[in-house]
Amino acid sequence: MKSSEFDLVVRNARVATASDIFEADIAIRDGKIVQLGANLPAGAREYDAAGRVVTPGGIDAHCHLDQPMESPVRMADDFDTGTRAAACGGTTTVIPFAAQVKGQSLRAAVEDYHRRADGKAHVDYGFHMIVSDPTPEVLEKELPELIRAGYTSFKIYMTYDDLKLNDGQILDVLDVARKHDATAMIHAENADCIQWLTKRLEASGRTAPRYHAVSRPMLVEREATHRAIALSELADVPILIVHVSGREAVEQIRWARSHGMNIMAETCPQYLFLTAEDLGIDDSYHGAKCVCSPPPRNQANQEVIWNGLNDGLFTVFSSDHAPFNYDSPEGKKPGGEEVSFGHIPNGIPGIETRLSLLYTHGVLAGRMTLNRFVELTSTNPAKVYGLHPRKGSIAIGADADLVVWQEGERAISNRDLHHNVDYTPYEGHQLKAWPCLTLSGGQVVWDGEQFHSRSGGGRFLQRGAPTLLPKRHQSRF
Ligand code: DUC
Ligand code: ZN
Ligand code: ZN
């Protein structure tokens, strides 16, 4: 018999959801929110949020953890260290990627990924699939079965030799998304243009990290974004364009929306806080730390991304955390070498800093409302990826995944972060807010100073159908 009706009461919270801001006590029992109200009875434990903002736990719907790479490269974060960092940064749900290797079944990729995740995660997690080999078996059997089993989203690549699909294959996969109600994410960059530019740059000795940005100009993203939109129109299914970097892709998405198409879009911190200059203004290899795709652009493009975040163009804000150590033969120096830009593992860490950066420069700088912050970082990802209303809101019956915010000056330092990467691209960056408490399933996983492993661990989330957009009708073809 419990002595109190509630396991925990978070008292005097300034609760922020995607639609409302109100003062309330939040009562938690068995990992769920069970009451919201004034002057609730005492819980077995109490936390006084004393007027602090409390938001739903963040959902990082685009991050890479322990994703198998070609030897000698290896991701620095697995599900242990990656979800530890997530928790300390206020993220209570992650959705990384189970990647199909060409020639391998999709189910095998998902099973392998469960072996990597289960029992190791400290926050709840789901898997997106990466479809790299859409054989008839995959299209007709594996994908529909896996979608029914709760893997209700997948990513399609238009670049990277080992992952990319051609347009016909993309249409086939989009058709499965339409028929079986899944969310299709698209990495939109034109592979042939990148290859052509890379060859020319390397042939003339321009191999430093900064040429990564030169090899992937905005036009390669613009062209692929436009093509993805056309393929979505033809297949008659919404898509979500991931990691949109700047004006040219944004213009394509605005055009599609103005023509009534359901095109969703994601952006990430690197397109707000980094520029191509972070890849180097000279040939220094340090720029490898910020090599990611698409590359960061310039300040004018950062403004375009801020506008899209504020005015509703973007649906979700994710980290695209892709963790590689800088000074490591498994990381940015494969085999211990300073390699040409075309061989530098793509990606930067950001799972822990995503929310604080957006809160500081978005909410506190007056660039977006607190409600919009919640929508982009939690509510919309929950809806797009079939987790709402269990996740993404502060509501009775929802999981007790909560973040309490503390305001004050603090500089980002890699020493203080909880990932397993030897750098952060945001070293020295000044924050004005960060989480002082993270609850995952009602348990404290971050108390503002220390990480606490969740007893029983994070759970695998079987996800439902997307709910952000109305269910689509029959195909026209
Ligand atoms: N780009 C991706 O598409 N994925 C991982 C990291 C990156 O830079
Ligand atoms: Zn991508
Ligand atoms: Zn990615």
Side-chain angles (χ1 to χ4, degrees):
M1 189 61 182
K2 283 182 183 167
S3 57
S4 165
E5 194 185 343
F6 308 127
D7 299 328
L8 173 65
V9 176
V10 178
R11 216 163 275 287
N12 306 313
R14 187 154 182 260
V15 175
T17 68
S19 57
D20 301 295
I21 297 177
F22 55 93
E23 310 287 326
D25 299 338
I26 307 167
I28 295 163
R29 188 174 58 233
D30 297 332
K32 302 264 182 206
I33 296 169
V34 290
Q35 272 195 43
L36 293 167
N39 304 315
L40 295 183
R45 293 178 68 196
E46 295 266 323
Y47 181 89
D48 189 4
R52 285 200 171 133
V53 168
V54 179
T55 56
I59 299 178
D60 196 341
H62 186 158
C63 53
H64 303 265
L65 300 176
D66 201 12
Q67 194 175 311
M69 299 277 119
E70 211 172 299
S71 176
V73 175
R74 214 174 123 98
M75 287 199 166
D77 279 316
D78 61 8
F79 276 81
D80 170 22
T81 60
T83 60
R84 177 180 74 192
C88 300
T91 289
T92 52
T93 300
V94 296
I95 318 181
F97 297 85
Q100 181 193 23
V101 175
K102 285 192 204 282
Q104 183 196 46
S105 88
L106 199 50
R107 185 171 288 284
V110 168
E111 285 168 1
D112 171 62
Y113 214 45
H114 271 293
R115 284 191 288 275
R116 292 166 185 265
D118 297 348
K120 276 187 133 180
H122 303 289
V123 300
D124 291 345
Y125 59 97
F127 299 164
H128 305 293
M129 300 172 283
I130 292 175
V131 183
S132 68
D133 197 1
T135 61
E137 172 78 7
V138 166
L139 294 169
E140 288 154 29
K141 198 160 177 296
E142 288 199 324
L143 251 183
E145 282 175 6
L146 286 162
I147 293 167
R148 276 195 292 277
Y151 308 86
T152 53
S153 50
F154 44 77
K155 184 171 176 191
I156 296 166
Y157 281 85
M158 299 172 88
T159 188
Y160 298 131
D161 284 345
D162 51 340
L163 298 172
K164 71 179 181 202
L165 304 187
N166 65 35
D167 292 354
Q169 290 173 316
I170 293 173
L171 285 167
D172 283 341
V173 177
L174 291 183
D175 200 42
V176 176
R178 183 187 56 74
K179 277 194 198 129
H180 298 278
D181 225 0
T183 297
M185 311 158 79
I186 302 203
H187 178 133
E189 287 185 294
N190 181 311
D192 287 348
C193 294
I194 294 167
Q195 202 178 49
W196 187 84
L197 282 165
T198 301
K199 259 196 210 152
R200 295 199 153 207
L201 288 163
E202 289 186 337
S204 58
R206 289 172 287 179
T207 59
R210 65 183 164 129
Y211 293 107
H212 173 80
V214 182
S215 74
R216 302 174 104 103
M218 286 210 286
L219 85 85
V220 310
E221 188 185 6
R222 181 228 304 161
E223 186 283 328
T225 300
H226 185 85
R227 188 155 36 98
I229 288 166
L231 297 173
S232 151
E233 185 182 5
L234 189 57
D236 209 4
V237 65
I239 54 170
L240 184 140
I241 315 248
V242 293
H243 44 51
V244 171
S245 74
R247 182 178 56 80
E248 299 201 19
V250 163
E251 284 172 354
Q252 297 304 312
I253 296 161
R254 285 202 194 282
W255 174 85
R257 293 258 185 97
S258 72
H259 286 73
M261 286 174 240
N262 278 326
I263 303 296
M264 296 176 283
E266 172 202 79
T267 193
C268 314
Q270 46 271 39
Y271 307 115
L272 295 175
F273 303 109
L274 301 179
T275 69
E277 289 197 354
D278 290 299
L279 278 69
I281 46 174
D282 57 22
D283 286 354
S284 155
Y285 199 73
H286 278 95
K289 292 178 180 172
C290 294
V291 164
C292 62
S293 296
R297 308 297 181 186
N298 61 16
Q299 244 179 351
N301 283 285
Q302 292 178 347
E303 284 309 308
V304 171
I305 299 295
W306 276 116
N307 289 339
L309 283 167
N310 186 38
D311 72 11
L313 179 93
F314 286 109
T315 317
V316 297
F317 184 75
S318 311
S319 70
D320 198 5
H321 179 80
F324 299 103
N325 278 313
Y326 170 66
D327 208 359
S328 165
E330 294 182 341
K332 297 283 186 177
K333 298 178 182 170
E337 303 287 322
E338 294 192 355
V339 295
S340 167
F341 69 86
H343 300 280
I344 298 172
N346 279 204
I348 61 172
I351 202 164
E352 191 168 349
T353 43
R354 170 184 75 122
L355 295 175
S356 296
L357 283 168
L358 193 67
Y359 200 105
T360 296
H361 295 279
V363 178
L364 297 181
R367 278 174 147 140
M368 72 176 60
T369 65
L370 184 53
N371 302 116
R372 179 72 176 140
F373 169 84
V374 173
E375 182 173 64
L376 283 161
T377 57
S378 184
T379 313
N380 276 356
K383 291 179 177 175
V384 171
Y385 297 114
L387 290 169
H388 195 262
R390 176 175 173 186
K391 305 285 189 190
S393 193
I394 297 179
I396 291 168
D399 284 354
D401 295 350
L402 300 172
V403 183
V404 182
W405 288 90
Q406 174 170 334
E407 292 186 22
E409 295 278 336
R410 176 181 171 168
I412 296 176
S413 161
N414 201 49
R415 271 197 328 264
D416 299 332
L417 298 180
H418 298 79
H419 60 193
N420 195 33
V421 188
D422 61 0
Y423 75 100
T424 166
Y426 309 111
E427 188 70 40
H429 191 108
Q430 208 63 29
L431 293 176
K432 293 204 159 89
W434 61 90
C436 61
L437 183 81
T438 308
L439 297 180
S440 168
Q443 294 187 37
V444 175
V445 286
W446 168 246
D447 65 12
E449 298 198 343
Q450 283 225 309
F451 165 70
H452 302 270
S453 183
R454 177 169 150 186
S455 69
R459 295 157 300 182
F460 173 70
L461 300 165
Q462 271 186 313
R463 293 177 292 117
T467 56
L468 187 73
L469 299 170
K471 199 166 153 45
R472 39 270 194 193
H473 42 83
Q474 289 296 305
S475 166
R476 289 169 289 143
F477 302 104

